[in-house]
Amino acid sequence: MDVENQDVLLEVEDGEEEEDEREEEDDGEIVLEEMEQTIIPSYGALASQQALHVPEWAEFNLKPDSLYFNDGQRRIDYVLVYEDESKKDGHKKSFQRKQMRKRQAYESNLITRGLQLEATKSVLDEKRVFVKVHIPWEVLCSYAEVMHIKMPLQPNDLKTRDSAFSWISKFFRVDEKIIKPEKDFFTAPFENDRLSDFYIQDKDMFFTPATRSRIAYFILCRGEYAIRDNVKKFGISKLLDSGIYKAAFPLHDSRFNYQSEEPSCPNERYLLYREWAHPRNIFKLQPLDLVRKYYGEKIGIYFAWLGFYTQMLVLAAIVGLGCFLYGYFMKDNCTWSQEVCDPNIGGNLIMCPQCDKECTYWNLTITCESSKKLCIFDSFGTLVFAVFMGVWVTLFLEFWKRRQAELEYEWDTVEFLELEEQVRPEYEARCRHVVVNEITQQEEHIPYTACGKCVRMAFCTSAVLFWVLLIIASVIGIIVYRLSVFLVFSATLPRHINGTEAIQKYLTPQAATSVSASVLSFIIIMILNMIYEKVAIMITDFELPRTQTDYENSLTMKMFLFQFVNYYSSCFYIAFFKGKFVGYPGDPVYWLGKYRNEECDPGGCLLELTTQLTIIMGGKAIWNNIQEVLLPWLKNLIGRCCSANRAEKIVPRWEQDYHLQPIGKLGLFYEYLEMVIQFGFVTLFVASFPLAPLLALVNNLLEIRVDAWKLTTQFRRMVPQKAQDIGAWQPIMQGIALLAVVTNAMIIAFTSDMIPRLVYYWSFSVPPYGDHSNYTMKGYINNTLSVFAVSHFRNESKPAYHPAFANITTCRYRDFRYPPGHEYQYEHNIYYWHVIAAKLSFIIVMEHIIYFVKFAISYIIPDVSKKTESKIKREKYLTQMLLHENPLKAMKKNMGTIADKILKVADGSFRPKYE
């Protein structure tokens, strides 16, 4: 057996470093005992020392845009970067030598696997070395078959028909003369034995640069570099984490703002920046096929989903804006708000104190401005919009499924099954336990036993629950802050309006408490986010999922659960708990036995919920854009400033890319998370804030270009990855859609005052309960504010003396209770029970109607269109014909020819001879 064709590994022993250090102290020279062994899988370790394979060395050829080795023939598929250990300063020479031997063993193993390496020293830093990786044709074919990569069989011969609305989209599409449409092919998993059946016009272009980089990364993740305790250590990820390599990345094909001088360069990065990432393209459709071709299906499907979501938001934003304008123009006809602002009605209503001792009585007219604002959001249009959004979210999810099915076919991910996805190297490295597979009855290695898996799951679940409880504790802290700071604002801010001080109309204790608590809540949310992101990654790493999809799905569920509680808990508190359990002035309810529960304004808590949503949504959008734009730009700017001599030298393509920012292991995970959280705000609480879809639309138009700008200008090129769909985010959005129906129905029923107003209008404004002859809203405020006798205050609740309210005997509070002196004083009256019955009936009716419509739409709209089904069937038919039936026909034909020859020979042998 040829030893040079075997894997070269390094045996690292624990006592090596101490022994080397003792030798350095003795004679001052680096004398290391070579511990390297050549491991042959069939025959074990050889005693003789074998030389390691080393990369070719080449000087930079002064071609800054070149994507090839110095010979101009072999394309660079990947780049590894390290710092030469012999040129490093420091005292840990033995450690550096050990790191160097690991790197040399790794590179030797890559060469043994068939890769070709060329090393070039840095132009800007003499210590830095760039190792360029090229995959020959034979290796590409072998690994393409192993990875089940689908390659073209023949051009697609199905005729496509443009939709009736295609003439509209042409005004927003990218010019086809600039970015030419990709040719459509029927494809099949690559097989080396059937190479002639595939559509190969040019070997150099058969595998795209993205596919070549994907294969290179697959090999790099499985290259071995050491053995410890009979366990192989392998993978570029570990070498990067340990600092042996400083970076590993595929190359961008050109600069983003200039075209390449190389004639063979497609300049796809330049085209993407010019026609996709530039701000002037904000209203253009995305060139998704080029995005997918350059960055891979995983990036492509994210931008396809984000673009589709943004397009669907247009309709929601228009309807939401219409409902908002309806409320705005109808606010002057809001009878109950007019009564609040009327000095003869609201001015004569003295409200009970909302806290103990420090608070005093106050005039209802102080809430005049907030009642006018509330009329905008708490109108009939809100109900219509809530029902519309329940239908809209179903249409969005169903039509996205159809769009996703089209992309699965067009991008060859229809049969991207679990068996095609490779195991994570981190999982493989810990496979030390042997079990028997129940299906194959063969031995296989797993990283932990069933008991070990249970322990891991129990630990991970406990850690997640601990952090969720920590968030709930922070929410309780915010509630305590609200209760305590309300006392301060009540004592310092005036409780009556002075006409000369207009600011007092807006700076009420309720408004000051609401705004300050919302800002504090947002700050705490962002701090907890930064902490939990690291914790969630640590928990998922400890859990050790098998594949990258399993890893991302597990992390997705943890992060979303945390973010759901973190972002939405304060909104749920305001919507469904604040002001609901306060008792009445003579018997208030206390938090923790000390803090009196806070009450809503006379108009309800809807306006405060709107304020909370505005601050969190707006602040989150601003904060995320600062993080996504400024931080990468500043890091790259600092890097350019540190390389002061860069402008004076010609820098190669690989060194230019090295100075860009790495994309991170999770890729666009945080972008998905950001958008799904926004999707929750747009759907869960839309009944309180109809402008939420409009804000989301504006944010998303910017988000698409910001994310595209980051990828094309500030970050290194990502490793292209396959993805069939958006993963765990799809069921999460479906869960949000179902929950949104309930939350919006409950917001209208319990948070807004729509149901009490309707009950008053239809039942209590006319006899037998009312005094008006016609249905009207007049008298609503007086009817919904109960009466309390000030003599019934407990000593610990009596308000501080105020001369303006020295002679009052009664005050009003927001509730439906009998007045003092009644047989059932301070107990809930019949109006309360009518309202409760109406609220529950409304929730049941609204939920059932919307759920029926949702399920009907889901049933009517198929997940896969007929056009896509036809294409899939046609491709399967062609695959069967080309790869299976044609070889069978050829074999039958050959067998028939052979049989004829045999019969002819046999016939000649037995025929009698005549002389």
Side-chain angles (χ1 to χ4, degrees):
M1 179 178 290
D2 188 358
V3 176
E4 292 186 356
N5 291 329
Q6 308 303 320
D7 292 345
V8 182
L9 304 178
L10 177 66
E11 181 75 37
V12 180
E13 296 189 350
D14 296 335
E16 178 183 0
E17 187 171 343
E18 290 81 1
E19 181 180 351
D20 291 341
E21 290 176 353
R22 286 196 301 269
E23 291 179 355
E24 287 181 10
E25 292 175 358
D26 292 339
D27 54 16
E29 297 180 358
I30 303 175
V31 181
L32 296 173
E33 179 184 355
E34 296 293 338
M35 303 298 296
E36 298 168 350
Q37 296 178 344
T38 302
I39 304 299
I40 299 179
S42 302
Y43 301 101
L46 293 180
S48 61
Q49 177 62 41
Q50 302 295 331
L52 299 175
H53 302 286
V54 296
E56 307 168 17
W57 280 89
E59 295 293 330
F60 173 46
N61 57 8
L62 300 180
K63 294 182 179 179
D65 294 328
S66 177
L67 301 175
Y68 295 86
F69 282 13
N70 272 15
D71 58 14
Q73 301 296 321
R74 292 174 291 176
R75 185 183 181 89
I76 301 173
D77 299 316
Y78 222 86
V79 176
L80 308 177
V81 187
Y82 69 90
E83 291 185 355
D84 191 349
E85 295 82 2
S86 63
K87 297 182 179 179
K88 287 184 178 180
D89 298 328
H91 301 288
K92 297 183 178 180
K93 294 293 184 181
S94 60
F95 175 75
Q96 293 171 2
R97 285 291 298 274
K98 186 168 66 173
Q99 298 286 79
M100 181 180 67
R101 289 201 303 276
K102 288 181 180 180
R103 175 178 53 76
Q104 291 173 343
Y106 179 72
E107 292 173 358
S108 177
N109 198 350
L110 294 181
I111 295 173
T112 302
R113 286 172 177 261
L115 302 187
Q116 297 175 4
L117 309 182
E118 183 181 81
T120 302
K121 291 184 178 179
S122 169
V123 174
L124 303 177
D125 186 349
E126 61 178 8
K127 292 186 296 184
R128 191 175 297 130
V129 178
F130 294 88
V131 179
K132 295 160 284 183
V133 180
H134 170 76
I135 312 178
W137 169 259
E138 295 77 11
V139 180
L140 282 172
C141 293
S142 299
Y143 279 93
E145 184 172 1
V146 170
M147 297 171 67
H148 302 275
I149 295 177
K150 298 183 80 172
M151 302 304 293
L153 287 172
Q154 72 174 42
N156 191 338
D157 58 358
L158 289 178
K159 296 180 180 180
T160 58
R161 293 184 300 173
D162 293 333
S163 65
F165 301 99
S166 59
W167 64 272
I168 299 176
S169 62
K170 73 178 182 180
F171 296 105
F172 301 97
R173 285 199 295 261
V174 178
D175 189 353
E176 294 184 356
K177 295 179 181 178
I178 299 175
I179 298 181
K180 297 179 180 179
E182 294 292 320
K183 291 183 179 179
D184 196 9
F185 291 92
F186 293 118
T187 60
F190 184 80
E191 295 183 36
N192 216 350
D193 295 337
R194 294 171 176 170
L195 192 62
S196 59
D197 293 326
F198 289 90
Y199 190 81
I200 304 177
Q201 289 185 320
D202 183 357
K203 280 188 176 182
D204 294 333
M205 301 303 297
F206 181 63
F207 293 102
T208 64
T211 303
R212 298 175 68 100
S213 298
R214 184 178 158 210
I215 295 174
Y217 182 71
F218 179 87
I219 300 172
L220 292 174
C221 286
R222 285 152 181 80
E224 300 92 349
Y225 62 86
I227 291 180
R228 184 189 292 272
D229 299 329
N230 294 325
V231 177
K232 293 181 180 180
K233 293 187 174 295
F234 55 88
I236 187 63
S237 298
K238 288 190 175 182
L239 295 175
L240 289 170
D241 292 338
S242 61
I244 294 176
Y245 285 103
K246 298 300 180 185
F249 52 89
L251 285 180
H252 281 296
D253 66 350
S254 66
R255 298 178 66 181
F256 71 88
N257 50 354
Y258 295 104
Q259 294 194 46
S260 173
E261 297 179 359
E262 294 288 323
S264 60
C265 179
N267 291 297
E268 291 175 347
R269 184 190 184 193
Y270 170 77
L271 290 175
L272 285 172
Y273 173 73
R274 180 182 167 186
E275 301 297 329
W276 179 48
H278 199 280
R280 67 166 176 264
N281 302 311
I282 191 169
F283 296 114
K284 279 189 176 182
L285 296 176
Q286 303 179 81
L288 292 175
D289 287 335
L290 184 58
V291 174
R292 171 250 181 174
K293 179 183 177 184
Y294 192 76
Y295 287 110
E297 287 78 9
K298 200 165 193 174
I299 299 295
I301 203 166
Y302 163 74
F303 281 102
W305 172 79
L306 181 55
F308 186 83
Y309 171 45
T310 305
Q311 292 172 20
M312 291 292 292
L313 277 175
V314 173
L315 178 60
I318 292 173
V319 178
L321 181 61
C323 292
F324 173 80
L325 293 176
Y326 169 82
Y328 180 79
F329 289 117
M330 294 296 291
K331 73 178 189 302
D332 294 332
N333 299 326
C334 189
T335 306
W336 66 271
S337 177
Q338 293 173 356
E339 291 186 349
V340 171
C341 299
D342 190 341
N344 296 321
I345 302 177
N348 293 327
L349 292 175
I350 306 301
M351 304 299 294
C352 297
Q354 293 185 325
C355 64
D356 295 337
K357 293 186 178 181
E358 296 296 333
C359 301
T360 185
Y361 305 98
W362 50 287
N363 292 100
L364 182 61
T365 49
I366 198 173
T367 62
C368 175
E369 294 300 323
S370 63
S371 68
K372 291 179 180 178
K373 297 174 187 174
L374 189 60
C375 286
I376 300 174
F377 298 101
D378 194 1
S379 66
F380 180 73
T382 301
L383 173 60
V384 174
F385 188 56
V387 175
F388 166 79
M389 287 301 293
V391 177
W392 173 89
V393 71
T394 305
L395 291 173
F396 163 64
L397 292 175
E398 292 303 316
F399 282 122
W400 166 245
K401 288 179 184 178
R402 288 169 65 90
R403 175 61 177 150
Q404 189 170 256
E406 292 176 5
L407 293 175
E408 286 178 15
Y409 170 75
E410 293 172 4
W411 294 353
D412 298 323
T413 59
V414 175
E415 297 177 354
F416 181 63
L417 305 177
E418 183 180 354
L419 59 88
E420 297 178 24
E421 187 174 11
Q422 305 301 323
V423 177
R424 294 172 65 235
E426 294 84 354
Y427 182 92
E428 287 181 331
R430 299 192 182 183
C431 289
R432 302 177 183 179
H433 300 279
V434 179
V435 296
V436 177
N437 189 301
E438 295 180 356
I439 300 174
T440 62
Q441 294 298 313
Q442 294 181 353
E443 289 187 350
E444 61 180 25
H445 292 78
I446 59 173
Y448 37 68
T449 60
C451 181
K453 185 175 182 179
C454 292
V455 171
R456 286 174 181 266
M457 294 301 296
F459 174 80
C460 295
T461 304
S462 302
V464 171
L465 289 177
F466 168 78
W467 279 92
V468 170
L469 292 175
L470 184 63
I471 302 168
I472 296 175
S474 70
V475 174
I476 295 175
I478 294 292
I479 295 173
V480 173
Y481 166 82
R482 285 174 175 272
L483 302 177
S484 57
V485 82
F486 182 75
L487 296 174
V488 178
F489 287 136
S490 297
T492 55
L493 296 177
R495 304 294 300 189
H496 61 280
I497 297 176
N498 186 338
T500 60
E501 300 179 8
I503 192 173
Q504 295 176 4
K505 296 181 181 180
Y506 304 97
L507 194 59
T508 62
Q510 293 94 334
T513 302
S514 174
V515 173
S516 63
S518 297
V519 173
L520 180 62
S521 176
F522 171 73
I523 294 172
I524 292 176
I525 284 172
M526 301 314 296
I527 292 174
L528 288 176
N529 274 353
M530 290 187 288
I531 298 174
Y532 186 75
E533 283 176 6
K534 302 181 184 302
V535 173
I537 293 173
M538 291 173 58
I539 295 173
T540 310
D541 287 341
F542 178 76
E543 190 178 317
L544 202 63
R546 183 174 181 271
T547 65
Q548 185 64 22
T549 299
D550 294 339
Y551 181 90
E552 291 180 0
N553 289 343
S554 177
L555 182 61
T556 296
M557 298 306 297
K558 293 182 183 65
M559 285 295 294
F560 180 76
L561 176 63
F562 173 84
Q563 299 274 16
F564 183 90
V565 179
N566 199 15
Y567 277 109
Y568 302 142
S569 54
S570 59
C571 296
F572 273 100
Y573 165 72
I574 295 172
F576 306 124
F577 295 99
K578 183 182 176 182
K580 304 299 186 295
F581 311 100
V582 295
Y584 63 95
D587 186 22
V589 177
Y590 291 88
W591 262 80
L592 308 176
K594 179 179 180 182
Y595 299 101
R596 179 173 166 177
N597 265 3
E598 56 182 337
E599 301 178 27
C600 296
D601 281 342
C605 288
L606 191 68
L607 188 61
E608 186 173 348
L609 179 59
T610 303
T611 304
Q612 179 83 0
L613 288 170
T614 306
I615 290 176
I616 293 181
M617 279 192 70
K620 181 174 177 293
I622 294 170
W623 174 258
N624 286 335
N625 285 323
I626 289 174
Q627 277 190 315
E628 293 174 6
V629 177
L630 286 183
L631 290 183
W633 180 77
L634 286 175
K635 288 179 180 178
N636 288 331
L637 181 63
I638 293 171
R640 287 193 296 267
C641 292
C642 293
S643 303
N645 59 347
R646 181 176 178 178
E648 303 172 1
K649 297 182 178 181
I650 300 175
V651 182
R653 169 84 270 132
W654 48 87
E655 193 151 5
Q656 294 176 36
D657 284 5
Y658 173 75
H659 289 286
L660 298 175
Q661 294 300 307
I663 194 66
K665 292 182 179 180
L666 297 178
L668 292 176
F669 171 82
Y670 296 109
E671 313 300 333
Y672 270 118
L673 183 62
E674 176 188 348
M675 288 296 102
V676 172
I677 292 295
Q678 182 208 84
F679 177 78
F681 280 120
V682 168
T683 54
L684 290 175
F685 306 102
V686 75
S688 66
F689 191 37
L691 290 180
L694 180 61
L695 293 182
L697 174 63
V698 174
N699 176 77
N700 289 6
L701 288 173
L702 297 174
E703 183 74 22
I704 291 174
R705 306 306 161 182
V706 167
D707 289 345
W709 177 82
K710 283 190 312 182
L711 286 179
T712 54
T713 66
Q714 303 301 309
F715 287 98
R716 298 171 190 157
R717 189 173 181 178
M718 292 182 64
V719 179
Q721 295 180 347
K722 280 277 188 181
Q724 188 174 16
D725 47 37
I726 59 175
W729 301 112
Q730 182 83 20
I732 285 175
M733 287 193 296
Q734 291 173 340
I736 291 175
L738 293 174
L739 181 61
V741 178
V742 180
T743 56
N744 285 302
M746 293 183 68
I747 286 172
I748 293 174
F750 292 104
T751 309
S752 78
D753 260 15
M754 183 176 296
I755 302 301
R757 289 201 299 270
L758 290 174
V759 171
Y760 176 80
Y761 182 84
W762 292 107
S763 298
F764 285 81
S765 64
V766 295
Y769 301 110
D771 300 328
H772 301 280
S773 58
N774 297 319
Y775 296 110
T776 180
M777 284 302 296
K778 291 181 179 180
Y780 170 75
I781 290 297
N782 185 63
N783 192 269
T784 54
L785 295 177
S786 300
V787 180
F788 180 76
V790 297
S791 59
H792 293 165
F793 272 119
R794 296 187 299 183
N795 291 331
E796 58 270 20
S797 300
K798 282 185 178 180
Y801 174 78
H802 196 286
F805 305 106
N807 299 321
I808 65 169
T809 57
T810 61
C811 61
R812 310 297 288 269
Y813 61 99
R814 188 175 185 268
D815 208 341
F816 306 110
R817 295 178 184 268
Y818 289 113
H822 192 278
E823 180 182 2
Y824 302 105
Q825 68 174 6
Y826 303 135
E827 292 185 10
H828 289 118
N829 58 23
I830 192 169
Y831 191 1
Y832 172 83
W833 298 111
H834 275 72
V835 169
I836 289 295
K839 288 181 175 180
L840 295 177
S841 301
F842 171 81
I843 291 174
I844 293 172
V845 171
M846 181 178 172
E847 283 182 359
H848 280 68
I849 290 175
I850 296 180
Y851 279 141
F852 174 78
V853 174
K854 285 170 66 70
F855 292 131
I857 291 173
S858 301
Y859 178 78
I860 292 171
I861 301 176
D863 292 346
V864 183
S865 65
K866 291 184 177 180
K867 181 176 69 174
T868 305
E869 281 186 348
S870 299
K871 290 181 179 179
I872 294 173
K873 290 177 181 178
R874 172 69 175 164
E875 182 173 292
K876 287 183 177 179
Y877 170 77
L878 280 176
T879 303
Q880 184 177 358
M881 289 292 294
L882 291 173
L883 299 184
H884 300 287
E885 294 187 9
N886 286 353
L888 280 175
K889 290 179 180 178
M891 186 174 66
K892 288 180 180 178
K893 184 177 180 181
N894 293 335
M895 291 295 294
T897 304
I898 294 172
D900 290 341
K901 291 181 178 179
I902 293 175
L903 289 174
K904 187 180 292 185
V905 171
D907 185 55
S909 300
F910 293 101
R911 184 176 298 166
K913 295 181 180 179
Y914 299 96
E915 294 183 357

